[in-house]
Amino acid sequence: MKKHGIRKSGLLITSTVVRSNIENLTKLLKGHLWAIVGSIASQIWAYYLTGSTIFCRPTDNMNIVGVDIMDIIEDNFGVLSSGFSSDDRREINFLVSYTPKFRLNVISYSSPWMIDGFDRIKVVKIWNREIPVASMEDIIIKKLLMDRIEDEVDVINMFRAYQRYLRSLIVNNQEQNVKLSFKLMRDIIESEYAGFEDEFEERLKGILKVDFELLERFENEPRKMIKLLTV
């Protein structure tokens, strides 16, 4: 982490504070449309793919989005969000732990169509919990377009975790249950981020040193993807 200029302080999803809050949210929001996004989402994917936090960047906050979830958050955490229940969007951020310091950032929308990539939300099972999380493709796109060092680190970590996952499949002769789709990324960029196609491809190439077209062409060939994802 240090060589990227990123602070080492923060928590990983296996820490008691983060894990307990994730487990609590899965109980509270069961039956609702919601998802974990941002850095904790990238940690969840890296942990799910490798069974390790080696490719996780510590963070001191967790971001979630959902539909009509704010009343539940307010009642159970004893907080008060900005806006009223009739608003299309309500939001709040508050500390759920002071020592260590950890913050929960919540955005509640009145409609699922207001959530970016809501139809691509995935359910990841860890700790015997089903955790809704933003898709890998959505996380990578948003983080690269943010153009921040910490977001680039998260993207690199996700590529490394996916590469290790593919290696493990080959070594253990296992079925591939998770696929990172660069074709889907292109579709998302062209339909939802029109005008940013070149910017995204340039930043992606800056990390992987290969053209986007190669990643699309070989996304279904694990052995070639392993070589292309060397970062």
Side-chain angles (χ1 to χ4, degrees):
M1 299 295 176
K2 189 174 182 180
K3 69 179 181 179
H4 292 287
I6 302 298
R7 60 180 176 76
K8 290 186 177 182
S9 61
L11 302 172
L12 300 176
I13 60 167
T14 49
S15 68
T16 301
V17 170
V18 182
R19 177 172 172 172
S20 63
N21 276 283
I22 290 176
E23 292 178 335
N24 186 32
L25 287 168
T26 61
K27 293 178 183 177
L28 291 176
L29 301 177
K30 186 176 182 179
H32 289 262
L33 176 63
W34 73 286
I36 297 175
V37 298
S39 295
I40 291 293
S42 66
Q43 283 197 33
I44 289 173
W45 276 115
Y47 182 77
Y48 179 70
L49 292 170
T50 67
S52 168
T53 58
I54 188 173
F55 298 117
C56 296
R57 176 179 64 85
T59 184
D60 59 5
N61 68 88
M62 176 163 62
N63 300 287
I64 72 169
V65 298
V67 177
D68 294 328
I69 62 171
M70 195 57 80
D71 288 345
I72 298 173
I73 296 295
E74 289 177 333
D75 292 344
N76 285 275
F77 287 93
V79 294
L80 187 63
S81 65
S82 60
F84 301 94
S85 58
S86 59
D87 290 348
D88 287 338
R89 169 178 168 143
R90 299 170 65 195
E91 59 184 290
I92 191 173
N93 61 82
F94 56 95
L95 287 174
V96 291
S97 173
Y98 291 88
T99 308
K101 189 175 182 180
F102 192 68
R103 184 176 296 275
L104 183 62
N105 304 315
V106 183
I107 299 179
S108 176
Y109 295 101
S110 62
S111 167
W113 297 105
M114 299 178 72
I115 299 178
D116 293 337
F118 90 93
D119 55 339
R120 295 185 293 272
I121 290 172
K122 303 295 183 182
V123 175
V124 173
K125 191 171 184 178
I126 53 177
W127 313 315
N128 204 32
R129 296 279 181 190
E130 294 186 338
I131 305 170
V133 61
S135 72
M136 289 192 290
E137 292 84 1
D138 282 294
I139 295 170
I140 290 169
I141 289 171
K142 289 179 181 179
K143 283 188 170 292
L144 283 188
L145 290 180
M146 287 291 288
D147 195 26
R148 301 184 305 185
I149 295 176
E150 58 265 38
D151 291 308
E152 183 177 310
V153 171
D154 288 339
V155 171
I156 290 172
N157 281 338
M158 290 183 70
F159 286 145
R160 287 174 173 168
Y162 187 64
Q163 183 193 56
R164 175 169 289 194
Y165 166 72
L166 293 178
R167 286 184 183 276
S168 177
L169 294 180
I170 293 172
V171 170
N172 297 300
N173 193 27
Q174 295 175 329
E175 293 279 336
Q176 183 173 354
N177 296 317
V178 178
K179 187 183 85 170
L180 178 60
S181 176
F182 291 90
K183 291 180 180 177
L184 176 57
M185 281 190 213
R186 183 179 294 280
D187 289 342
I188 295 171
I189 285 288
E190 291 178 349
S191 63
E192 301 179 21
Y193 298 87
F196 290 93
E197 296 92 339
D198 292 342
E199 185 176 341
F200 174 77
E201 290 188 31
E202 181 181 341
R203 290 177 185 170
L204 188 62
K205 187 173 184 179
I207 292 175
L208 296 176
K209 313 303 180 188
V210 296
D211 291 331
F212 197 21
E213 289 75 13
L214 283 176
L215 296 166
E216 289 181 283
R217 186 187 311 167
F218 297 118
E219 67 177 36
N220 293 317
E221 299 184 39
R223 292 182 182 275
K224 291 186 178 179
M225 285 304 299
I226 287 170
K227 293 181 180 180
L228 293 173
L229 294 178
T230 300
V231 288

